[in-house]
Amino acid sequence: MTEIETNQRDSELFSPPSNVRGMTKLDRTAFKKTVTIPVLKVRKEIVNKLMRSLKRAALQRPGIKRVIEDPEDEESRLVMLDPYKIFTDGSFERAELSILKQLNVSPQIHKYNLELTYENFKSEEILRAVLPEGQDVTSGFSRVGHIAHLNLRDHQLPFKHLIGQVMIDKNPGITSAVNKINNIDNTYRNFQMEVLSGEENMITKVRENGYTYEFDFSKVYWNPRLSTEHSRITELLKSGDVLFDVFAGVGPFAIPVAKKNCTVFANDLNPESHKWLLHNCKLNKVDQKVKVFNLDGKDFLQGPVREELMQQLGPLSKERKHSVHIVMNLPAKAIEFLSVFKLLLDGPPCGIELLPIVHCYSFSKDPNPAKDVQQRAGAVLGISLEACSSVHLVRNVAPNKEMLCITFRIPAAVLYKNQTLTLENQDDPPLKRQKTDKVFSEEKTQIASVTSLEMSSPSPH
C-alpha cells in the first residue's frame, strides 16, 4: 500500500462513525468506534526516557492516554503511536531507531484495538460528521462569561440544538449556548436570541482588560471583539482628562478611563444598560468618578454635555491643561448625531488646542472605507474632514463591511454660534470652509499622526 493510500485510509481513522450523519438530537453513545493503531511494547521502567525521544511518533489525541498497561504483561507498557506517521518498523526516523536500540527496545510494531467515544472527538470533527457533506461546519463562537454566542447559518439551523450542546460539552466553563436570531436594529441595541442548549440564565460576568463587568446579555449590548478598541481609546486619555461617553453600554470605555483618574460622563438610552452601568461602576470602584445618565444621545449632547462644555471651555479654560474627549460608539447611526455639535455653544470660542476631540464609530461597505467615513462625517458637519482627521480600522464585521473610528477635533466654526455667522452670509461658503480646514489641519497632529487608514488587525476577542 502506498503512503498516499495509507493516509487516505487513516484520514477517516479518527472521524466519528458514518451513521451519525444527519443526527439532529445528540446521542453521545452513537459515537463509539474501535480503531486499530500501532503500539510499541516497552519495559515500564524506561517509559519516561523513551517518551522524551518519541514526541514525533507518539499519538497526540485529546482524552487518550499515550501509555497504557500491557494486558498480557504487567511489567510492560504499550506506547501508542501515530498511525499517520508509523505504518511499519521502517517508519521510524534514524534518531528514533538509535534511541530504541540504546534502551534495548524492539522496533517491532504491534496492533492495538482502541475504543473511541464521544469524549475523544473534537467539536469540529463531530459537526463535520453530523452536518451534510460539503457544508460549512464552522464551530466558532463569541464567549461572554458562561455563554457561547453563535451566529448560525441557515443550513446549520436544523442541527442548532445539537451544535449548542456540543459547544457546551467541548468548552470548559460554557454552560449555555445561544444563537442570535435577528440583527441589532432596535432602539436599545440588544438582539433577540434563542437558547440552544444549557442554562436559561443570561446574567453573566466577564473580565476585559483587567476590569469586571456583569450584565444580562439578553438585554444589553456587549461585543467581546472590541476589547482592543476599548483599550486603544483608554490609552489616549491622561489623568485629569474629561470623557463624554454618548452610547456607554455597560461601561467598557467609561470604567477604564475613570480608573485613570479622569472625569467621565456616561450615557445610555437602554434602561437595562443604565442599570448595569451603575452596577459596574460600583463593582470596579469608580462610581465617584462617573456621572451616569439614561438619555437619548441627542438629549445627552444638548443637555449635560453642552452644559459641561460651556464650563470646561469658558473664560477660565486657558488655565486648563487637560483634554476633552467624546466617544460615540453606535456604528450604525453615530455619524447622524454629529449634527448636534453644529452651533452647540454660545460665547467666545476657546483656543483651538482646547476644543473637544471626537471618536465617532461607523460601518462602511465602500471600497475605500476611510474616505467614505470622512466624507459622510464631513457632510453632516458641513466641513471637509479628509485632511484633518484620522481613521482607524477597528474590525472586519462581515465580507465587505468594516467598522471604523474617525477621530477629529471639532472646529470652533462648527461648535460656536457666533463663529458661523460669517459662513452663512457668504455667497461662496466653500472658500471659507477651506480656511477653517487649514486652521483645523494645523491642530490635527495633536489628535493622531496617521491621516490615512491604519491597517491594524481586528481583535480576536
Side-chain angles (χ1 to χ4, degrees):
M1 185 179 288
T2 67
E3 188 171 319
I4 292 174
E5 288 172 336
T6 307
N7 284 341
Q8 286 173 343
R9 179 203 66 192
D10 288 339
S11 67
E12 299 176 7
L13 197 64
F14 293 114
S15 298
S18 58
N19 63 330
V20 301
R21 179 81 64 197
M23 178 188 289
T24 54
K25 186 176 181 183
L26 183 61
D27 176 8
R28 297 178 184 83
T29 62
F31 286 82
K32 282 186 180 175
K33 177 181 179 179
T34 301
V35 296
T36 303
I37 63 164
V39 294
L40 271 180
K41 278 195 172 218
V42 180
R43 300 190 315 280
K44 66 180 183 182
E45 62 268 19
I46 64 162
V47 165
N48 290 340
K49 277 186 183 178
L50 181 65
M51 292 306 291
R52 285 197 287 271
S53 303
L54 283 187
K55 286 181 181 176
R56 181 197 73 91
L59 181 66
Q60 307 274 357
R61 283 294 298 181
I64 295 176
K65 291 181 178 179
R66 288 185 290 175
V67 181
I68 60 169
E69 290 185 8
D70 184 347
E72 298 174 1
D73 181 2
E74 62 179 27
E75 295 301 312
S76 296
R77 297 291 181 264
L78 299 181
V79 175
M80 304 215 183
L81 302 173
D82 188 339
Y84 288 88
K85 297 171 182 171
I86 306 299
F87 318 115
T88 68
D89 51 10
S91 303
F92 288 108
E93 292 181 347
R94 187 178 296 176
E96 292 165 343
L97 286 170
S98 175
I99 291 294
L100 292 176
K101 190 174 181 181
Q102 281 178 37
L103 296 174
N104 198 26
V105 176
S106 168
Q108 183 184 355
I109 298 296
H110 299 266
K111 298 294 181 184
Y112 179 79
N113 290 330
L114 174 67
E115 186 180 82
L116 300 174
T117 65
Y118 174 79
E119 283 68 33
N120 302 131
F121 296 110
K122 301 170 188 172
S123 57
E124 196 165 316
E125 292 168 337
I126 291 169
L127 298 186
R128 189 179 292 117
V130 169
L131 269 62
E133 256 184 298
Q135 293 279 24
D136 175 41
V137 296
T138 302
S139 56
F141 60 87
S142 295
R143 182 166 188 161
V144 183
H146 68 277
I147 303 165
H149 168 216
L150 296 88
N151 284 325
L152 296 183
R153 301 184 183 180
D154 289 346
H155 71 271
Q156 297 172 324
L157 293 177
F159 308 91
K160 61 186 180 181
H161 297 299
L162 178 144
I163 294 171
Q165 188 58 56
V166 170
M167 292 301 104
I168 291 172
D169 290 346
K170 298 297 178 180
N171 295 279
I174 295 290
T175 56
S176 181
V178 303
N179 183 42
K180 184 171 81 170
I181 54 176
N182 74 336
N183 290 324
I184 300 172
D185 57 2
N186 64 5
T187 307
Y188 295 150
R189 279 207 296 173
N190 56 320
F191 48 78
Q192 285 183 285
M193 61 177 70
E194 176 186 15
V195 177
L196 303 177
S197 191
E199 295 177 12
E200 297 277 341
N201 175 29
M202 292 294 104
I203 296 178
T204 190
K205 178 190 286 191
V206 300
R207 290 278 292 172
E208 181 187 274
N209 299 327
Y211 302 96
T212 301
Y213 303 91
E214 293 179 346
F215 49 85
D216 185 334
F217 185 52
S218 67
K219 295 178 180 176
V220 305
Y221 176 78
W222 179 268
N223 189 337
R225 293 187 175 93
L226 294 179
S227 63
T228 302
E229 186 61 13
H230 298 149
S231 179
R232 184 182 75 89
I233 295 295
T234 301
E235 287 171 10
L236 295 178
L237 280 85
K238 298 180 177 64
S239 177
D241 285 353
V242 178
L243 174 70
F244 298 102
D245 192 349
V246 186
F247 312 104
V250 298
F253 284 117
I255 287 167
V257 168
K259 275 286 188 185
K260 294 185 78 168
N261 201 31
C262 296
T263 301
V264 178
F265 296 75
N267 172 71
D268 204 281
L269 177 62
N270 182 352
E272 282 287 323
S273 295
H274 176 259
K275 178 181 87 173
W276 290 106
L277 176 56
L278 284 167
H279 172 81
N280 289 323
C281 286
K282 288 179 182 173
L283 188 64
N284 291 278
K285 298 181 172 59
V286 294
D287 46 308
Q288 299 303 310
K289 294 175 184 174
V290 184
K291 296 176 185 176
V292 177
F293 300 85
N294 180 206
L295 300 169
D296 176 79
K298 185 177 180 183
D299 294 335
F300 177 61
L301 289 166
Q302 291 178 330
V305 175
R306 180 185 181 277
E307 187 179 320
E308 187 65 22
L309 285 179
M310 289 293 289
Q311 291 185 18
Q312 291 283 338
L313 310 181
L316 299 175
S317 64
K318 289 178 182 177
E319 300 171 18
R320 179 166 64 80
K321 301 288 186 189
H322 58 265
S323 298
V324 175
H325 293 256
I326 302 172
V327 168
M328 306 173 72
N329 183 20
L330 184 67
K333 291 185 175 181
I335 282 180
E336 298 169 21
F337 285 80
L338 293 177
S339 62
V340 178
F341 293 120
K342 294 168 76 172
L343 319 182
L344 184 65
L345 303 184
D346 300 305
C350 66
I352 290 172
E353 70 282 356
L354 302 178
L355 290 164
I357 299 166
V358 172
H359 311 278
C360 181
Y361 291 83
S362 182
F363 294 128
S364 178
K365 294 182 178 180
D366 195 88
N368 187 339
K371 189 172 183 181
D372 172 52
V373 168
Q374 286 172 325
Q375 288 179 341
R376 286 193 286 123
V380 172
L381 291 168
I383 59 167
S384 171
L385 289 174
E386 289 188 43
C388 42
S389 63
S390 69
V391 181
H392 176 81
L393 175 62
V394 178
R395 59 183 286 259
N396 176 256
V397 178
N400 305 314
K401 184 178 180 181
E402 309 291 345
M403 178 180 174
L404 307 102
C405 176
I406 181 169
T407 294
F408 60 92
R409 199 184 291 276
I410 310 173
V414 170
L415 194 59
Y416 286 89
K417 289 176 183 175
N418 63 344
Q419 289 294 295
T420 55
L421 294 173
T422 52
L423 292 183
E424 289 168 355
N425 295 328
Q426 292 293 325
D427 293 330
D428 186 17
L431 188 62
K432 289 286 183 184
R433 287 177 189 164
Q434 286 170 11
K435 290 180 181 178
T436 302
D437 296 342
K438 185 175 181 235
V439 176
F440 185 21
S441 183
E442 289 169 3
E443 296 303 322
K444 190 259 163 187
T445 52
Q446 296 182 16
I447 307 170
S449 59
V450 183
T451 55
S452 60
L453 184 63
E454 296 175 8
M455 296 304 292
S456 62
S457 300
S459 168
H461 301 282

